[in-house]
Each structure stands twice: as C-alpha cells, then as structure tokens.
Amino acid sequence: MKTYEELNGLELDTIREIGSIGTGNAATALSSMLGCEVRISMPEVRIMGYNEAIDWIGGPEAITAGVLVHMSGELNGIMLSVQQLEFVNLVLERMMDRTVEHYADLTELDRSALVEVGNIMISTFINALSGLAEITTHLTVPAFAVDMQGAILAVPMAEFGGQSDYIMTIGADFLCSGRKVPCRLLLSPDIRSLNFLLKKLGVLDG
C-alpha cells in the first residue's frame, strides 16, 4: 500500500496527466453552462500537505465558497471545488446577469447556480477519471458552504487525516471573454482507492 508521500515519479506523472484531462473536460462543461468559450491554462497538479494546500488557496482565514462531493464505489473519497470570488462573479455574471462584492450578498438562487456549476465540474472531472481507469464511481448530492478556507479544508482532514496528511491539488486559470479566473480543485481518494486507481492505470504492480 502506497501513501501519497510515497508515490514515485511515474505515478505522480500519471496523476498529473489525469488532472490535466479532468480539468480540461471540466472547462468544456463550464463553457456549455456559461455560454462562452472557456480555455484553460496548463493545470498544475501537486500533492500537498493540508496546511500547504490551505496556504495555496489563500490562507486559513480567507473566506471562500466550496462545493463538496463524496465519491463511493470503486473510488472512495471526496472532491472539493473551491470557488474564489473571481470565479463566483464570472458564473453569476454569465448565468444571473449580476455580481456580488461579498459572499454574504449571495442569494439562494446564486447559491443554487454555484452548486450546479461546481457539481458539473466535479462530475465531469470524475467521469473522465473513471473512464480512463475503467472504474465505477458514484457521487453524492453536492454540499455547499461559505466559510474560512481552514474550516472548509477541515472536512477532508477529519475524514482522511488518519490515513495521510496529504491531498491532491489541481490549479489552473480559466479564460472566458478576456477574463482570467482561478480554478482550484482538491481531490482526496482514500489510500485503498489511491492504490486501486494506480493499479487500474497500470503504474502500480500487484
């Protein structure tokens, strides 16, 4: 059984390739929802400690929105779409013809739109991953929260912190109508699922 910190170069490269393909598919899905061509920069896929991941997003006390989905089946774990304010306003402007200055200004309709977008991005990413590895993955109904980033990241820490202190982070920039907004996704399969996934992809013996 390998933990995140024990992955070798080939295994990390495979995970990075999955991240690139999944994020590209998420950008295509976002393009359909927003009604504009969405291009994406080369995604940066890294394995980070939880505290490093929190700093990477913007720090533990920064307020952000998050859409969280649990995975089950042949791949167990969670995936989180972190929606920083630039991303939120891109979605609201394209879908609701409005923007907000603060997360506190979000209406229930705004939240529903953000959940829909986050869910589609996560579902598209996981479907691409499942197709590549030829596995079956089920997703729960998404949960939405606005909180300090340290509190939002506490969910995967509480669920999987006993198995590993690391999490997979996928970062890129979406480009839409001349605007560049950050995309931040965090994927945390449990250790059994991580090993099963690497075996299915042919980069882990056994």
Side-chain angles (χ1 to χ4, degrees), residues 92-120:
L92 295 183
E93 186 177 295
R94 302 293 305 188
M95 296 183 68
M96 314 294 291
D97 196 27
R98 70 184 233 103
T99 59
V100 296
E101 291 188 16
H102 307 285
Y103 288 103
D105 299 329
L106 293 173
T107 66
E108 285 303 312
L109 201 57
D110 295 335
R111 288 170 175 257
S112 295
L114 294 171
V115 169
E116 182 181 3
V117 167
N119 188 40
I120 289 294

Side-chain angles (χ1 to χ4, degrees), residues 90-168:
L90 172 64
V91 171
L92 295 183
E93 186 177 295
R94 302 293 305 188
M95 296 183 68
M96 314 294 291
D97 196 27
R98 70 184 233 103
T99 59
V100 296
E101 291 188 16
H102 307 285
Y103 288 103
D105 299 329
L106 293 173
T107 66
E108 285 303 312
L109 201 57
D110 295 335
R111 288 170 175 257
S112 295
L114 294 171
V115 169
E116 182 181 3
V117 167
N119 188 40
I120 289 294
M121 288 177 59
I122 290 173
S123 298
T124 306
F125 188 105
I126 296 300
N127 286 341
L129 169 58
S130 298
L132 284 170
E134 298 182 338
I135 59 176
T136 300
T137 308
H138 307 291
L139 302 178
T140 62
V141 174
F144 181 80
V146 173
D147 207 332
M148 289 187 295
Q149 290 173 152
I152 289 178
L153 263 292
V155 175
M157 288 175 68
E159 292 203 27
F160 303 117
Q163 298 185 41
S164 175
D165 295 327
Y166 292 80
I167 192 169
M168 190 187 311

Side-chain angles (χ1 to χ4, degrees), residues 7 20 25 35 44 68 70 94 97 139 144 156 191 200 203:
L7 297 177
S20 295
N25 286 352
E44 180 185 14
L68 178 72
H70 283 75
R94 302 293 305 188
D97 196 27
L139 302 178
F144 181 80
I191 296 302
K200 292 291 287 184
V203 292

